[in-house]
Amino acid sequence: AQSVTQLGSHVSVSEGALVLLRCNYSSSVPPYLFWYVQYPNQGLQLLLKYTSAATLVKGINGFEAEFKKSETSFHLTKPSAHMSDAAEYFCAVTKGSGNTPLVFGKGTRLSVIA
Amino acid sequence: GAVVSQHPSWVICKSGTSVKIECRSLDFQATTMFWYRQFPKQSLMLMATSNEGSKATYEQGVEKDKFLINHASLTLSTLTVTSAHPEDSSFYICSALSGATGDEQFFGPGTRLTVL
């Protein structure tokens, strides 16, 4: 069965510092992996996705993630944090292949300190 | 493009009543929609997969008679919480698969349900 583990339920960084949100996955099939951001009382917005193409994926708002099969990881990074990045971030893996439901990690709340 | 709406955005109801939540794909057709549930400060949990013109597929532990899903058209799926109880209070989020980009789900803004 597919699963996602996000290390750290809360990450706090200073404005301008590197953002690193960790995600490890388990999948019995080649995975499609996603990072979503959720602002309070809102739905999810897709940041980026990996669908078996380039292993380094660039997304919106300056975020990127690298798929590392050997480490079963898909960590999210951003070189310089902005106050507006404060939100909840979810890593997700497809339940099966292609267009199947998503299995979400428990989420990581990112705080950005001025 | 690829906008998904939900209505209502929030609802408060009395225990024992039923509540219907609509999920619409505004600018694309979605043969498949998913319904998720999110408790406060927790992750999203898949409740069911809704396919247009057929019965929904429910995840283990989700009562299909309590959470009625209807996907009557390619742009509309509804979730009805029947005989709601306080423990049903949650954030319900739908997503829709676009046929053009079959590997991406577009999420609605969610519906906050509070059962008194």
PDB file of all heavy atoms in Angstrom, chain A residues 58-97:
ATOM      1  N   LYS A  58      10.382  21.694 -10.530  1.00  0.00           N
ATOM      2  CA  LYS A  58      10.211  23.082 -10.099  1.00  0.00           C
ATOM      3  C   LYS A  58       8.725  23.401 -10.070  1.00  0.00           C
ATOM      4  O   LYS A  58       7.968  23.017 -10.974  1.00  0.00           O
ATOM      5  CB  LYS A  58      10.947  24.020 -11.045  1.00  0.00           C
ATOM      6  CG  LYS A  58      12.464  23.849 -10.984  1.00  0.00           C
ATOM      7  CD  LYS A  58      13.192  24.896 -11.803  1.00  0.00           C
ATOM      8  CE  LYS A  58      14.693  24.666 -11.773  1.00  0.00           C
ATOM      9  NZ  LYS A  58      15.247  24.784 -10.410  1.00  0.00           N
ATOM     10  N   GLY A  59       8.336  24.112  -9.018  1.00  0.00           N
ATOM     11  CA  GLY A  59       6.934  24.443  -8.870  1.00  0.00           C
ATOM     12  C   GLY A  59       6.709  25.936  -8.795  1.00  0.00           C
ATOM     13  O   GLY A  59       7.558  26.737  -9.184  1.00  0.00           O
ATOM     14  N   ILE A  60       5.561  26.273  -8.245  1.00  0.00           N
ATOM     15  CA  ILE A  60       5.218  27.684  -8.130  1.00  0.00           C
ATOM     16  C   ILE A  60       5.858  28.298  -6.884  1.00  0.00           C
ATOM     17  O   ILE A  60       6.303  27.573  -5.991  1.00  0.00           O
ATOM     18  CB  ILE A  60       3.690  27.874  -8.082  1.00  0.00           C
ATOM     19  CG1 ILE A  60       3.107  27.181  -6.854  1.00  0.00           C
ATOM     20  CG2 ILE A  60       3.050  27.349  -9.360  1.00  0.00           C
ATOM     21  CD1 ILE A  60       1.642  27.483  -6.628  1.00  0.00           C
ATOM     22  N   ASN A  61       5.885  29.606  -6.854  1.00  0.00           N
ATOM     23  CA  ASN A  61       6.364  30.361  -5.688  1.00  0.00           C
ATOM     24  C   ASN A  61       7.798  30.029  -5.291  1.00  0.00           C
ATOM     25  O   ASN A  61       8.168  30.202  -4.124  1.00  0.00           O
ATOM     26  CB  ASN A  61       5.446  30.120  -4.477  1.00  0.00           C
ATOM     27  CG  ASN A  61       4.013  30.541  -4.755  1.00  0.00           C
ATOM     28  OD1 ASN A  61       3.752  31.341  -5.654  1.00  0.00           O
ATOM     29  ND2 ASN A  61       3.086  29.989  -4.000  1.00  0.00           N
ATOM     30  N   GLY A  62       8.590  29.575  -6.233  1.00  0.00           N
ATOM     31  CA  GLY A  62      10.001  29.327  -5.962  1.00  0.00           C
ATOM     32  C   GLY A  62      10.325  28.002  -5.310  1.00  0.00           C
ATOM     33  O   GLY A  62      11.467  27.749  -4.940  1.00  0.00           O
ATOM     34  N   PHE A  63       9.342  27.153  -5.151  1.00  0.00           N
ATOM     35  CA  PHE A  63       9.564  25.843  -4.545  1.00  0.00           C
ATOM     36  C   PHE A  63      10.058  24.826  -5.578  1.00  0.00           C
ATOM     37  O   PHE A  63       9.731  24.919  -6.748  1.00  0.00           O
ATOM     38  CB  PHE A  63       8.277  25.313  -3.904  1.00  0.00           C
ATOM     39  CG  PHE A  63       7.925  25.983  -2.607  1.00  0.00           C
ATOM     40  CD1 PHE A  63       7.066  27.074  -2.583  1.00  0.00           C
ATOM     41  CD2 PHE A  63       8.466  25.534  -1.413  1.00  0.00           C
ATOM     42  CE1 PHE A  63       6.751  27.703  -1.393  1.00  0.00           C
ATOM     43  CE2 PHE A  63       8.151  26.151  -0.211  1.00  0.00           C
ATOM     44  CZ  PHE A  63       7.287  27.243  -0.206  1.00  0.00           C
ATOM     45  N   GLU A  64      10.814  23.882  -5.098  1.00  0.00           N
ATOM     46  CA  GLU A  64      11.213  22.759  -5.933  1.00  0.00           C
ATOM     47  C   GLU A  64      11.366  21.522  -5.067  1.00  0.00           C
ATOM     48  O   GLU A  64      11.471  21.612  -3.837  1.00  0.00           O
ATOM     49  CB  GLU A  64      12.504  23.037  -6.707  1.00  0.00           C
ATOM     50  CG  GLU A  64      13.727  23.262  -5.861  1.00  0.00           C
ATOM     51  CD  GLU A  64      14.949  23.551  -6.742  1.00  0.00           C
ATOM     52  OE1 GLU A  64      14.825  24.237  -7.774  1.00  0.00           O
ATOM     53  OE2 GLU A  64      16.046  23.092  -6.370  1.00  0.00           O
ATOM     54  N   ALA A  65      11.360  20.372  -5.702  1.00  0.00           N
ATOM     55  CA  ALA A  65      11.510  19.107  -4.982  1.00  0.00           C
ATOM     56  C   ALA A  65      12.282  18.140  -5.857  1.00  0.00           C
ATOM     57  O   ALA A  65      12.199  18.183  -7.080  1.00  0.00           O
ATOM     58  CB  ALA A  65      10.151  18.527  -4.620  1.00  0.00           C
ATOM     59  N   GLU A  66      13.030  17.278  -5.217  1.00  0.00           N
ATOM     60  CA  GLU A  66      13.824  16.303  -5.945  1.00  0.00           C
ATOM     61  C   GLU A  66      13.388  14.895  -5.594  1.00  0.00           C
ATOM     62  O   GLU A  66      13.332  14.521  -4.411  1.00  0.00           O
ATOM     63  CB  GLU A  66      15.311  16.460  -5.643  1.00  0.00           C
ATOM     64  CG  GLU A  66      16.192  15.531  -6.487  1.00  0.00           C
ATOM     65  CD  GLU A  66      17.678  15.829  -6.330  1.00  0.00           C
ATOM     66  OE1 GLU A  66      18.040  16.624  -5.443  1.00  0.00           O
ATOM     67  OE2 GLU A  66      18.462  15.249  -7.098  1.00  0.00           O
ATOM     68  N   PHE A  67      13.071  14.121  -6.601  1.00  0.00           N
ATOM     69  CA  PHE A  67      12.690  12.731  -6.418  1.00  0.00           C
ATOM     70  C   PHE A  67      13.958  11.885  -6.348  1.00  0.00           C
ATOM     71  O   PHE A  67      14.771  11.888  -7.269  1.00  0.00           O
ATOM     72  CB  PHE A  67      11.824  12.258  -7.584  1.00  0.00           C
ATOM     73  CG  PHE A  67      11.515  10.786  -7.580  1.00  0.00           C
ATOM     74  CD1 PHE A  67      10.639  10.256  -6.661  1.00  0.00           C
ATOM     75  CD2 PHE A  67      12.114   9.932  -8.506  1.00  0.00           C
ATOM     76  CE1 PHE A  67      10.353   8.898  -6.653  1.00  0.00           C
ATOM     77  CE2 PHE A  67      11.828   8.569  -8.506  1.00  0.00           C
ATOM     78  CZ  PHE A  67      10.955   8.058  -7.571  1.00  0.00           C
ATOM     79  N   LYS A  68      14.123  11.183  -5.230  1.00  0.00           N
ATOM     80  CA  LYS A  68      15.270  10.302  -5.059  1.00  0.00           C
ATOM     81  C   LYS A  68      14.758   8.899  -4.772  1.00  0.00           C
ATOM     82  O   LYS A  68      14.367   8.589  -3.639  1.00  0.00           O
ATOM     83  CB  LYS A  68      16.172  10.796  -3.923  1.00  0.00           C
ATOM     84  CG  LYS A  68      16.881  12.100  -4.222  1.00  0.00           C
ATOM     85  CD  LYS A  68      17.877  12.445  -3.124  1.00  0.00           C
ATOM     86  CE  LYS A  68      18.642  13.713  -3.469  1.00  0.00           C
ATOM     87  NZ  LYS A  68      19.633  14.074  -2.419  1.00  0.00           N
ATOM     88  N   LYS A  69      14.802   8.076  -5.799  1.00  0.00           N
ATOM     89  CA  LYS A  69      14.269   6.732  -5.665  1.00  0.00           C
ATOM     90  C   LYS A  69      15.040   5.930  -4.630  1.00  0.00           C
ATOM     91  O   LYS A  69      14.458   5.179  -3.847  1.00  0.00           O
ATOM     92  CB  LYS A  69      14.298   6.022  -7.025  1.00  0.00           C
ATOM     93  CG  LYS A  69      13.668   4.648  -7.028  1.00  0.00           C
ATOM     94  CD  LYS A  69      13.686   4.047  -8.424  1.00  0.00           C
ATOM     95  CE  LYS A  69      13.054   2.667  -8.415  1.00  0.00           C
ATOM     96  NZ  LYS A  69      13.061   2.059  -9.777  1.00  0.00           N
ATOM     97  N   SER A  70      16.359   6.081  -4.623  1.00  0.00           N
ATOM     98  CA  SER A  70      17.188   5.292  -3.704  1.00  0.00           C
ATOM     99  C   SER A  70      16.880   5.609  -2.252  1.00  0.00           C
ATOM    100  O   SER A  70      17.052   4.765  -1.373  1.00  0.00           O
ATOM    101  CB  SER A  70      18.667   5.541  -3.990  1.00  0.00           C
ATOM    102  OG  SER A  70      18.988   6.910  -3.794  1.00  0.00           O
ATOM    103  N   GLU A  71      16.434   6.815  -2.012  1.00  0.00           N
ATOM    104  CA  GLU A  71      16.114   7.235  -0.641  1.00  0.00           C
ATOM    105  C   GLU A  71      14.604   7.262  -0.400  1.00  0.00           C
ATOM    106  O   GLU A  71      14.178   7.612   0.703  1.00  0.00           O
ATOM    107  CB  GLU A  71      16.705   8.619  -0.368  1.00  0.00           C
ATOM    108  CG  GLU A  71      18.213   8.677  -0.489  1.00  0.00           C
ATOM    109  CD  GLU A  71      18.773  10.070  -0.273  1.00  0.00           C
ATOM    110  OE1 GLU A  71      18.002  10.979   0.091  1.00  0.00           O
ATOM    111  OE2 GLU A  71      19.992  10.250  -0.479  1.00  0.00           O
ATOM    112  N   THR A  72      13.835   6.938  -1.411  1.00  0.00           N
ATOM    113  CA  THR A  72      12.362   7.039  -1.379  1.00  0.00           C
ATOM    114  C   THR A  72      11.939   8.369  -0.763  1.00  0.00           C
ATOM    115  O   THR A  72      11.089   8.424   0.150  1.00  0.00           O
ATOM    116  CB  THR A  72      11.703   5.866  -0.616  1.00  0.00           C
ATOM    117  OG1 THR A  72      12.157   5.856   0.748  1.00  0.00           O
ATOM    118  CG2 THR A  72      12.028   4.544  -1.274  1.00  0.00           C
ATOM    119  N   SER A  73      12.543   9.434  -1.273  1.00  0.00           N
ATOM    120  CA  SER A  73      12.259  10.745  -0.710  1.00  0.00           C
ATOM    121  C   SER A  73      11.811  11.716  -1.796  1.00  0.00           C
ATOM    122  O   SER A  73      12.090  11.534  -2.994  1.00  0.00           O
ATOM    123  CB  SER A  73      13.491  11.308  -0.011  1.00  0.00           C
ATOM    124  OG  SER A  73      14.510  11.617  -0.948  1.00  0.00           O
ATOM    125  N   PHE A  74      11.118  12.734  -1.354  1.00  0.00           N
ATOM    126  CA  PHE A  74      10.642  13.798  -2.250  1.00  0.00           C
ATOM    127  C   PHE A  74      10.556  15.069  -1.417  1.00  0.00           C
ATOM    128  O   PHE A  74       9.499  15.608  -1.161  1.00  0.00           O
ATOM    129  CB  PHE A  74       9.286  13.401  -2.838  1.00  0.00           C
ATOM    130  CG  PHE A  74       8.808  14.295  -3.957  1.00  0.00           C
ATOM    131  CD1 PHE A  74       9.572  14.485  -5.105  1.00  0.00           C
ATOM    132  CD2 PHE A  74       7.582  14.931  -3.893  1.00  0.00           C
ATOM    133  CE1 PHE A  74       9.124  15.288  -6.143  1.00  0.00           C
ATOM    134  CE2 PHE A  74       7.123  15.729  -4.919  1.00  0.00           C
ATOM    135  CZ  PHE A  74       7.893  15.911  -6.043  1.00  0.00           C
ATOM    136  N   HIS A  75      11.716  15.551  -0.985  1.00  0.00           N
ATOM    137  CA  HIS A  75      11.764  16.703  -0.089  1.00  0.00           C
ATOM    138  C   HIS A  75      11.499  17.997  -0.840  1.00  0.00           C
ATOM    139  O   HIS A  75      11.949  18.192  -1.970  1.00  0.00           O
ATOM    140  CB  HIS A  75      13.128  16.787   0.587  1.00  0.00           C
ATOM    141  CG  HIS A  75      13.473  15.575   1.393  1.00  0.00           C
ATOM    142  ND1 HIS A  75      12.535  14.784   2.006  1.00  0.00           N
ATOM    143  CD2 HIS A  75      14.697  15.017   1.675  1.00  0.00           C
ATOM    144  CE1 HIS A  75      13.116  13.787   2.637  1.00  0.00           C
ATOM    145  NE2 HIS A  75      14.436  13.903   2.459  1.00  0.00           N
ATOM    146  N   LEU A  76      10.822  18.899  -0.174  1.00  0.00           N
ATOM    147  CA  LEU A  76      10.465  20.204  -0.746  1.00  0.00           C
ATOM    148  C   LEU A  76      11.425  21.265  -0.233  1.00  0.00           C
ATOM    149  O   LEU A  76      11.681  21.317   0.981  1.00  0.00           O
ATOM    150  CB  LEU A  76       9.033  20.564  -0.352  1.00  0.00           C
ATOM    151  CG  LEU A  76       8.482  21.890  -0.870  1.00  0.00           C
ATOM    152  CD1 LEU A  76       8.225  21.803  -2.382  1.00  0.00           C
ATOM    153  CD2 LEU A  76       7.188  22.265  -0.148  1.00  0.00           C
ATOM    154  N   THR A  77      11.924  22.092  -1.126  1.00  0.00           N
ATOM    155  CA  THR A  77      12.850  23.140  -0.718  1.00  0.00           C
ATOM    156  C   THR A  77      12.501  24.466  -1.367  1.00  0.00           C
ATOM    157  O   THR A  77      11.849  24.524  -2.409  1.00  0.00           O
ATOM    158  CB  THR A  77      14.305  22.789  -1.075  1.00  0.00           C
ATOM    159  OG1 THR A  77      14.405  22.648  -2.505  1.00  0.00           O
ATOM    160  CG2 THR A  77      14.761  21.509  -0.407  1.00  0.00           C
ATOM    161  N   LYS A  78      12.966  25.515  -0.705  1.00  0.00           N
ATOM    162  CA  LYS A  78      12.883  26.868  -1.254  1.00  0.00           C
ATOM    163  C   LYS A  78      14.080  27.624  -0.703  1.00  0.00           C
ATOM    164  O   LYS A  78      14.323  27.599   0.499  1.00  0.00           O
ATOM    165  CB  LYS A  78      11.581  27.565  -0.873  1.00  0.00           C
ATOM    166  CG  LYS A  78      11.458  28.971  -1.458  1.00  0.00           C
ATOM    167  CD  LYS A  78      10.096  29.580  -1.170  1.00  0.00           C
ATOM    168  CE  LYS A  78      10.008  30.985  -1.785  1.00  0.00           C
ATOM    169  NZ  LYS A  78       8.671  31.603  -1.598  1.00  0.00           N
ATOM    170  N   PRO A  79      14.855  28.268  -1.562  1.00  0.00           N
ATOM    171  CA  PRO A  79      16.110  28.894  -1.108  1.00  0.00           C
ATOM    172  C   PRO A  79      15.912  29.982  -0.058  1.00  0.00           C
ATOM    173  O   PRO A  79      16.707  30.110   0.862  1.00  0.00           O
ATOM    174  CB  PRO A  79      16.701  29.477  -2.392  1.00  0.00           C
ATOM    175  CG  PRO A  79      16.050  28.734  -3.504  1.00  0.00           C
ATOM    176  CD  PRO A  79      14.690  28.391  -3.022  1.00  0.00           C
ATOM    177  N   SER A  80      14.843  30.747  -0.187  1.00  0.00           N
ATOM    178  CA  SER A  80      14.672  31.898   0.684  1.00  0.00           C
ATOM    179  C   SER A  80      13.196  32.020   1.087  1.00  0.00           C
ATOM    180  O   SER A  80      12.340  32.297   0.239  1.00  0.00           O
ATOM    181  CB  SER A  80      15.139  33.165  -0.042  1.00  0.00           C
ATOM    182  OG  SER A  80      14.922  34.307   0.754  1.00  0.00           O
ATOM    183  N   ALA A  81      12.936  31.847   2.359  1.00  0.00           N
ATOM    184  CA  ALA A  81      11.554  31.867   2.847  1.00  0.00           C
ATOM    185  C   ALA A  81      11.003  33.284   2.868  1.00  0.00           C
ATOM    186  O   ALA A  81      11.707  34.254   3.192  1.00  0.00           O
ATOM    187  CB  ALA A  81      11.483  31.269   4.243  1.00  0.00           C
ATOM    188  N   HIS A  82       9.725  33.359   2.547  1.00  0.00           N
ATOM    189  CA  HIS A  82       8.998  34.628   2.610  1.00  0.00           C
ATOM    190  C   HIS A  82       7.866  34.480   3.609  1.00  0.00           C
ATOM    191  O   HIS A  82       7.362  33.374   3.824  1.00  0.00           O
ATOM    192  CB  HIS A  82       8.446  34.967   1.213  1.00  0.00           C
ATOM    193  CG  HIS A  82       7.932  36.355   1.091  1.00  0.00           C
ATOM    194  ND1 HIS A  82       6.631  36.695   1.383  1.00  0.00           N
ATOM    195  CD2 HIS A  82       8.549  37.501   0.718  1.00  0.00           C
ATOM    196  CE1 HIS A  82       6.460  37.984   1.200  1.00  0.00           C
ATOM    197  NE2 HIS A  82       7.605  38.494   0.788  1.00  0.00           N
ATOM    198  N   MET A  83       7.471  35.586   4.186  1.00  0.00           N
ATOM    199  CA  MET A  83       6.398  35.543   5.185  1.00  0.00           C
ATOM    200  C   MET A  83       5.145  34.883   4.633  1.00  0.00           C
ATOM    201  O   MET A  83       4.433  34.156   5.342  1.00  0.00           O
ATOM    202  CB  MET A  83       6.058  36.936   5.680  1.00  0.00           C
ATOM    203  CG  MET A  83       7.201  37.640   6.410  1.00  0.00           C
ATOM    204  SD  MET A  83       7.673  36.790   7.920  1.00  0.00           S
ATOM    205  CE  MET A  83       6.272  37.159   8.957  1.00  0.00           C
ATOM    206  N   SER A  84       4.888  35.097   3.366  1.00  0.00           N
ATOM    207  CA  SER A  84       3.675  34.544   2.760  1.00  0.00           C
ATOM    208  C   SER A  84       3.738  33.032   2.571  1.00  0.00           C
ATOM    209  O   SER A  84       2.735  32.409   2.197  1.00  0.00           O
ATOM    210  CB  SER A  84       3.428  35.205   1.398  1.00  0.00           C
ATOM    211  OG  SER A  84       4.521  34.961   0.538  1.00  0.00           O
ATOM    212  N   ASP A  85       4.902  32.430   2.838  1.00  0.00           N
ATOM    213  CA  ASP A  85       5.014  30.972   2.719  1.00  0.00           C
ATOM    214  C   ASP A  85       4.453  30.245   3.935  1.00  0.00           C
ATOM    215  O   ASP A  85       4.327  29.018   3.919  1.00  0.00           O
ATOM    216  CB  ASP A  85       6.488  30.570   2.534  1.00  0.00           C
ATOM    217  CG  ASP A  85       7.066  31.067   1.220  1.00  0.00           C
ATOM    218  OD1 ASP A  85       6.319  31.138   0.223  1.00  0.00           O
ATOM    219  OD2 ASP A  85       8.276  31.392   1.197  1.00  0.00           O
ATOM    220  N   ALA A  86       4.166  30.977   4.983  1.00  0.00           N
ATOM    221  CA  ALA A  86       3.625  30.349   6.193  1.00  0.00           C
ATOM    222  C   ALA A  86       2.282  29.698   5.875  1.00  0.00           C
ATOM    223  O   ALA A  86       1.338  30.370   5.458  1.00  0.00           O
ATOM    224  CB  ALA A  86       3.459  31.392   7.281  1.00  0.00           C
ATOM    225  N   ALA A  87       2.224  28.390   6.057  1.00  0.00           N
ATOM    226  CA  ALA A  87       1.029  27.621   5.692  1.00  0.00           C
ATOM    227  C   ALA A  87       1.239  26.170   6.099  1.00  0.00           C
ATOM    228  O   ALA A  87       2.275  25.819   6.671  1.00  0.00           O
ATOM    229  CB  ALA A  87       0.752  27.714   4.194  1.00  0.00           C
ATOM    230  N   GLU A  88       0.275  25.338   5.756  1.00  0.00           N
ATOM    231  CA  GLU A  88       0.397  23.896   5.963  1.00  0.00           C
ATOM    232  C   GLU A  88       0.765  23.266   4.634  1.00  0.00           C
ATOM    233  O   GLU A  88       0.183  23.595   3.595  1.00  0.00           O
ATOM    234  CB  GLU A  88      -0.935  23.324   6.460  1.00  0.00           C
ATOM    235  CG  GLU A  88      -0.875  21.895   6.938  1.00  0.00           C
ATOM    236  CD  GLU A  88      -0.418  21.764   8.389  1.00  0.00           C
ATOM    237  OE1 GLU A  88      -0.497  22.774   9.118  1.00  0.00           O
ATOM    238  OE2 GLU A  88      -0.012  20.666   8.787  1.00  0.00           O
ATOM    239  N   TYR A  89       1.713  22.364   4.662  1.00  0.00           N
ATOM    240  CA  TYR A  89       2.185  21.721   3.433  1.00  0.00           C
ATOM    241  C   TYR A  89       1.958  20.220   3.531  1.00  0.00           C
ATOM    242  O   TYR A  89       2.288  19.588   4.535  1.00  0.00           O
ATOM    243  CB  TYR A  89       3.671  22.014   3.204  1.00  0.00           C
ATOM    244  CG  TYR A  89       3.924  23.462   2.853  1.00  0.00           C
ATOM    245  CD1 TYR A  89       3.982  24.436   3.851  1.00  0.00           C
ATOM    246  CD2 TYR A  89       4.073  23.867   1.529  1.00  0.00           C
ATOM    247  CE1 TYR A  89       4.174  25.770   3.540  1.00  0.00           C
ATOM    248  CE2 TYR A  89       4.276  25.195   1.208  1.00  0.00           C
ATOM    249  CZ  TYR A  89       4.331  26.133   2.213  1.00  0.00           C
ATOM    250  OH  TYR A  89       4.523  27.456   1.895  1.00  0.00           O
ATOM    251  N   PHE A  90       1.403  19.681   2.474  1.00  0.00           N
ATOM    252  CA  PHE A  90       1.116  18.258   2.427  1.00  0.00           C
ATOM    253  C   PHE A  90       1.847  17.609   1.263  1.00  0.00           C
ATOM    254  O   PHE A  90       1.795  18.083   0.134  1.00  0.00           O
ATOM    255  CB  PHE A  90      -0.383  18.009   2.264  1.00  0.00           C
ATOM    256  CG  PHE A  90      -1.216  18.401   3.445  1.00  0.00           C
ATOM    257  CD1 PHE A  90      -1.850  19.628   3.482  1.00  0.00           C
ATOM    258  CD2 PHE A  90      -1.349  17.547   4.524  1.00  0.00           C
ATOM    259  CE1 PHE A  90      -2.605  20.005   4.577  1.00  0.00           C
ATOM    260  CE2 PHE A  90      -2.110  17.905   5.625  1.00  0.00           C
ATOM    261  CZ  PHE A  90      -2.740  19.139   5.651  1.00  0.00           C
ATOM    262  N   CYS A  91       2.489  16.509   1.567  1.00  0.00           N
ATOM    263  CA  CYS A  91       3.062  15.645   0.547  1.00  0.00           C
ATOM    264  C   CYS A  91       2.052  14.535   0.271  1.00  0.00           C
ATOM    265  O   CYS A  91       1.361  14.073   1.197  1.00  0.00           O
ATOM    266  CB  CYS A  91       4.381  15.058   1.052  1.00  0.00           C
ATOM    267  SG  CYS A  91       5.237  13.986  -0.107  1.00  0.00           S
ATOM    268  N   ALA A  92       1.929  14.120  -0.981  1.00  0.00           N
ATOM    269  CA  ALA A  92       0.944  13.098  -1.316  1.00  0.00           C
ATOM    270  C   ALA A  92       1.479  12.181  -2.400  1.00  0.00           C
ATOM    271  O   ALA A  92       2.305  12.579  -3.225  1.00  0.00           O
ATOM    272  CB  ALA A  92      -0.367  13.737  -1.765  1.00  0.00           C
ATOM    273  N   VAL A  93       0.992  10.964  -2.373  1.00  0.00           N
ATOM    274  CA  VAL A  93       1.357   9.970  -3.383  1.00  0.00           C
ATOM    275  C   VAL A  93       0.067   9.396  -3.940  1.00  0.00           C
ATOM    276  O   VAL A  93      -0.933   9.268  -3.215  1.00  0.00           O
ATOM    277  CB  VAL A  93       2.242   8.862  -2.776  1.00  0.00           C
ATOM    278  CG1 VAL A  93       1.502   8.093  -1.692  1.00  0.00           C
ATOM    279  CG2 VAL A  93       2.753   7.908  -3.848  1.00  0.00           C
ATOM    280  N   THR A  94       0.082   9.053  -5.216  1.00  0.00           N
ATOM    281  CA  THR A  94      -1.111   8.440  -5.778  1.00  0.00           C
ATOM    282  C   THR A  94      -1.303   7.057  -5.187  1.00  0.00           C
ATOM    283  O   THR A  94      -0.348   6.330  -4.924  1.00  0.00           O
ATOM    284  CB  THR A  94      -1.005   8.319  -7.294  1.00  0.00           C
ATOM    285  OG1 THR A  94       0.303   7.856  -7.619  1.00  0.00           O
ATOM    286  CG2 THR A  94      -1.256   9.635  -7.972  1.00  0.00           C
ATOM    287  N   LYS A  95      -2.565   6.712  -5.016  1.00  0.00           N
ATOM    288  CA  LYS A  95      -2.898   5.436  -4.405  1.00  0.00           C
ATOM    289  C   LYS A  95      -2.494   4.291  -5.316  1.00  0.00           C
ATOM    290  O   LYS A  95      -2.159   3.213  -4.866  1.00  0.00           O
ATOM    291  CB  LYS A  95      -4.397   5.388  -4.114  1.00  0.00           C
ATOM    292  CG  LYS A  95      -4.821   4.296  -3.156  1.00  0.00           C
ATOM    293  CD  LYS A  95      -6.303   4.384  -2.855  1.00  0.00           C
ATOM    294  CE  LYS A  95      -6.696   3.318  -1.845  1.00  0.00           C
ATOM    295  NZ  LYS A  95      -8.154   3.348  -1.573  1.00  0.00           N
ATOM    296  N   GLY A  96      -2.592   4.519  -6.588  1.00  0.00           N
ATOM    297  CA  GLY A  96      -2.178   3.509  -7.553  1.00  0.00           C
ATOM    298  C   GLY A  96      -1.344   4.187  -8.602  1.00  0.00           C
ATOM    299  O   GLY A  96      -0.528   5.042  -8.299  1.00  0.00           O
ATOM    300  N   SER A  97      -1.581   3.882  -9.819  1.00  0.00           N
ATOM    301  CA  SER A  97      -0.861   4.554 -10.896  1.00  0.00           C
ATOM    302  C   SER A  97      -1.764   5.607 -11.510  1.00  0.00           C
ATOM    303  O   SER A  97      -2.976   5.505 -11.458  1.00  0.00           O
ATOM    304  CB  SER A  97      -0.437   3.534 -11.958  1.00  0.00           C
ATOM    305  OG  SER A  97      -1.583   2.898 -12.490  1.00  0.00           O
TER     306      SER A  97
END
